[in-house]
Amino acid sequence: MLDFVRRRDEMVATQLAARGIVDPRVLAAMREVPHEAFVPDRLSEVAYEDGPLPIGEGQTISQPYMVALMIQAAAVAPGDRVLDIGTGSGYAAAVLSRIAGRVYGIERLGGLVAAAQERFARLGYDRIALREGDGTLGWPEEAPFDAILVAAGGPVVPEPLKRQVTVGGRIVLPVGPSRCTQTLVRLRRTGEESFEQTDLGLCAFVPLRGAHGWPEPHPSGPGRDAVPPAAGGEGRG
Ligand code: SAH
């Protein structure tokens, strides 16, 4: 039996606290949520390594540090309504749900939605509503949100998301000119039409598809989703 509790404590100390994650709520939530339950069984042995891991369908579960950095940058607080786009395995949504009031997740791949829903039910994460769809359109029926996190990189900040965050609310997402390198950006809505932007550093996420993302890849052509190459010093989604 692997000692996951010890590994999780170690991950929080060496991968998060030692690298500038200071938000006590983020550290506590990440000490609590069992990362190993969100990776495929055959990978539970490496669940606490410092990088992204494949979760099937060409997608990845983000590096724990990246999940922590995004939630800290979004200043998620108790009672917040949070939109999580690119829910994938469900790990980031689970961590968010230990801090926020309610989490709304959107994932475009039905197989991942079903697997995440099964995990949420099994582990008792009952503050998450998850649906299949194009997250670049947001979730207008549940808007506005105090924070919006996007776990896939697109060419621009999707316009619908800017409309669906409260004044004072935060959007944290990777944006970049290519499908495999991006800058992690935080936008804070300061007024009806105004946003304040902070760049948080380079990162590498899987591509954001959809109406305000990259075009769908040809099934056998170049540009298929791939696990991005590990790059020293960069955060990885
Ligand atoms: N937060 C996830 C990371 C998953 S990787 C986790 O903790 O596991 C990013 C996910 O974004 C992938 O599952 C991919 O299918 C999804 N995705 C890409 N474009 C999307 C879109 N337009 N709408 C919803 N999900 C999208």
Side-chain angles (χ1 to χ4, degrees):
M1 180 65 189
L2 297 168
D3 186 354
F4 288 122
V5 174
R6 188 181 52 79
R7 289 188 189 195
R8 196 144 63 236
D9 284 346
E10 243 170 56
M11 180 271 282
V12 169
T14 62
Q15 298 175 30
L16 309 186
R19 286 194 197 135
I21 304 299
V22 293
D23 184 331
R25 295 185 189 116
V26 176
L27 296 171
M30 293 197 57
R31 225 172 257 127
E32 189 186 322
V33 177
H35 195 254
E36 71 280 3
F38 292 82
V39 305
D41 284 347
R42 68 191 160 79
L43 294 178
S44 56
E45 173 67 39
V46 293
Y48 288 94
E49 289 191 5
D50 187 16
L53 291 169
I55 53 172
E57 311 210 26
Q59 306 304 322
T60 57
I61 179 171
S62 299
Q63 178 191 25
Y65 171 70
M66 185 50 71
V67 173
L69 181 65
M70 291 178 76
I71 299 175
Q72 174 169 280
V76 175
D80 278 0
R81 295 163 56 78
V82 181
L83 180 63
D84 174 59
I85 297 171
T87 300
S89 70
Y91 177 68
V95 174
L96 283 165
S97 80
R98 305 316 297 158
I99 304 172
R102 186 109 188 116
V103 178
Y104 297 86
I106 309 177
E107 167 56 51
R108 66 186 268 271
L109 299 174
L112 298 181
V113 170
Q117 243 144 10
E118 187 275 319
R119 288 187 182 108
F120 296 153
R122 180 160 41 88
L123 299 167
Y125 293 110
D126 54 9
R127 276 189 280 179
I128 308 170
L130 176 59
R131 71 172 173 86
E132 183 181 338
D134 177 4
T136 70
L137 301 173
W139 194 328
E141 300 80 2
E142 297 293 350
F145 300 98
D146 301 294
I148 301 179
L149 275 68
V150 185
V156 294
V157 180
E159 205 53 42
L161 304 186
K162 294 167 82 171
R163 308 268 70 88
Q164 292 179 31
V165 72
T166 54
V167 172
R170 293 78 54 196
I171 307 175
V172 177
L173 81 176
V175 183
S178 94
R179 284 169 180 68
C180 46
T181 60
Q182 306 100 17
T183 301
L184 189 68
V185 167
R186 173 182 52 214
L187 286 182
R188 203 171 68 82
R189 190 171 192 178
T190 52
E192 234 3 84
E193 299 297 332
S194 52
F195 289 85
E196 177 190 88
Q197 180 170 336
T198 312
D199 290 355
L200 304 169
L202 292 177
C203 54
F205 282 76
V206 298
L208 181 69
R209 306 289 179 195
H212 300 267
W214 298 106
E216 294 291 332
H218 187 275
S220 59
R224 287 171 59 194
D225 292 354
V227 177
E234 291 183 8
R236 285 165 284 154

